[in-house]
Amino acid sequence: MPLDFFYRYFVEPIELGYGYNPVNTLAYALLFVSLTYLLFVFLKKSGIKTDKRFVLAVAPWIIFGILLRILEDMGIISGYLFVTPNIWLLFVFLINSLLVASKLIEKKYKIPYYKIMFISGVMFSGPLLGFFNIQNALGLWYVLLWLVPWLIVLKMVKWPVENKIVTALHLFDATTTFVSLQYFNYFEQHVLPRTIIELTGTPFSFVVVKLIVVVAVLNILDRYSDDKEFTNYLKIMIGVLGFVTGLRDLLRLVLLV
């Protein structure tokens, strides 16, 4: 039955907290791709360029979403609205609405939209930090120990800066996953990383595979995409993926949740 299927593959994993399965992973991936394209169309029609100002505008709101997600992990807040992917569907709507509102304010009062977004995002995110106390500083040091060499290599490589940033964000995510699994007995919830790790027998394989995939995707975009604006947008979205999962995993690690 359709309802039984939906409950088994989409609701039950959230209720029981045992992670993702191939069905909901594919569905969420298709949803992400669709929303990514629709968001680009929306931004283009709204006259919002996907540049540094756009990143500055949305970054604190993405962090706000991550902090709310961690508060749910900690049990401080609860509900289907605050779990993945629901919370990010909410934030896609929220950020789009804020972009529209800030552009209207910009038009009327000549205040740059990205400043409105950035300041308001910081105002909402800042107070949530009061809920967090570091419980596992060792985990943070392990992440830095494994991540810094990658960053040094990236610094030395001759490659576009935006590609280095996107790659660094995904190395941050993969390294945090590796440290969490290797040293602190966390469980990988996502299907693909879990499969890679099970096949190879080591969490470090996820770092290597992710690095190869991200570098390949970025090189393909640079080589074959003729639309520079769309290419920049895709790079931002790819970077956001690494940042969101990496920061959440790091916070869970240092907070031991």
Side-chain angles (χ1 to χ4, degrees):
M1 299 293 290
L3 288 178
D4 292 335
F5 178 87
F6 182 79
Y7 179 83
R8 178 182 178 185
Y9 289 103
F10 293 92
V11 178
E12 189 176 89
I14 294 175
E15 288 184 339
L16 301 182
Y18 60 72
Y20 297 85
N21 55 66
V23 174
N24 64 19
T25 295
L26 178 60
Y28 295 153
L30 292 174
L31 179 62
F32 175 77
V33 171
S34 301
L35 288 176
T36 297
Y37 177 74
L38 291 174
L39 179 57
F40 178 73
V41 173
F42 165 77
L43 292 173
K44 201 158 189 177
K45 288 186 176 180
S46 302
I48 300 173
K49 294 183 178 180
T50 50
D51 53 13
K52 294 179 182 178
R53 294 181 177 185
F54 172 73
V55 174
L56 192 64
V58 301
W61 287 100
I62 292 173
I63 293 173
F64 180 52
I66 296 169
L67 296 180
L68 284 179
R69 184 67 185 87
I70 292 296
L71 290 179
E72 197 279 335
D73 286 331
M74 297 170 66
I76 295 176
I77 59 176
S78 62
Y80 283 112
L81 195 61
F82 300 107
V83 298
T84 306
N86 301 343
I87 190 170
W88 296 116
L89 294 175
L90 170 66
F91 266 79
V92 167
F93 174 78
L94 175 63
I95 290 174
N96 284 350
S97 301
L98 290 169
L99 285 169
V100 171
S102 60
K103 287 296 287 185
L104 290 174
I105 294 173
E106 178 184 66
K107 186 175 181 180
K108 186 171 183 179
Y109 297 103
K110 309 303 179 185
I111 304 173
Y113 86 94
Y114 67 93
K115 291 185 178 180
I116 298 169
M117 290 279 292
F118 180 81
I119 293 172
S120 59
V122 170
M123 289 175 63
F124 274 86
S125 301
L128 298 186
L129 296 176
F131 289 98
F132 303 139
N133 292 303
I134 293 179
Q135 305 292 326
N136 182 20
L138 181 61
L140 177 60
W141 283 112
Y142 275 160
V143 170
L144 291 174
L145 180 67
W146 284 96
L147 180 61
V148 168
W150 289 112
L151 299 182
I152 293 173
V153 172
L154 269 179
K155 177 71 175 176
M156 297 169 61
V157 172
K158 189 176 181 181
W159 210 25
V161 174
E162 66 271 15
N163 288 0
K164 292 184 180 183
I165 294 173
V166 172
T167 304
L169 289 172
H170 278 275
L171 283 171
F172 164 59
D173 171 38
T175 301
T176 305
T177 297
F178 162 69
V179 169
S180 299
L181 299 178
Q182 182 72 23
Y183 300 107
F184 298 98
N185 297 317
Y186 277 76
F187 170 71
E188 176 54 58
Q189 293 187 341
H190 296 88
V191 174
L192 286 177
R194 188 166 67 239
T195 302
I196 292 169
I197 292 166
E198 288 174 353
L199 288 174
T200 60
T202 171
F204 188 73
S205 60
F206 177 57
V207 181
V208 177
V209 171
K210 192 161 197 181
L211 175 62
I212 293 171
V213 171
V214 171
V215 169
V217 169
L218 292 174
N219 281 329
I220 289 171
L221 286 175
D222 287 339
R223 185 170 182 178
Y224 296 106
S225 178
D226 296 325
D227 188 336
K228 184 172 178 58
E229 185 177 0
F230 187 55
T231 299
N232 289 339
Y233 170 73
L234 287 179
K235 288 181 179 180
I236 290 172
M237 296 305 292
I238 294 169
V240 166
L241 273 179
F243 176 69
V244 167
T245 53
L247 183 56
R248 184 201 171 194
D249 287 348
L250 180 65
L251 289 174
R252 291 187 71 232
L253 178 63
V254 299
L255 297 171
L256 291 177
V257 296

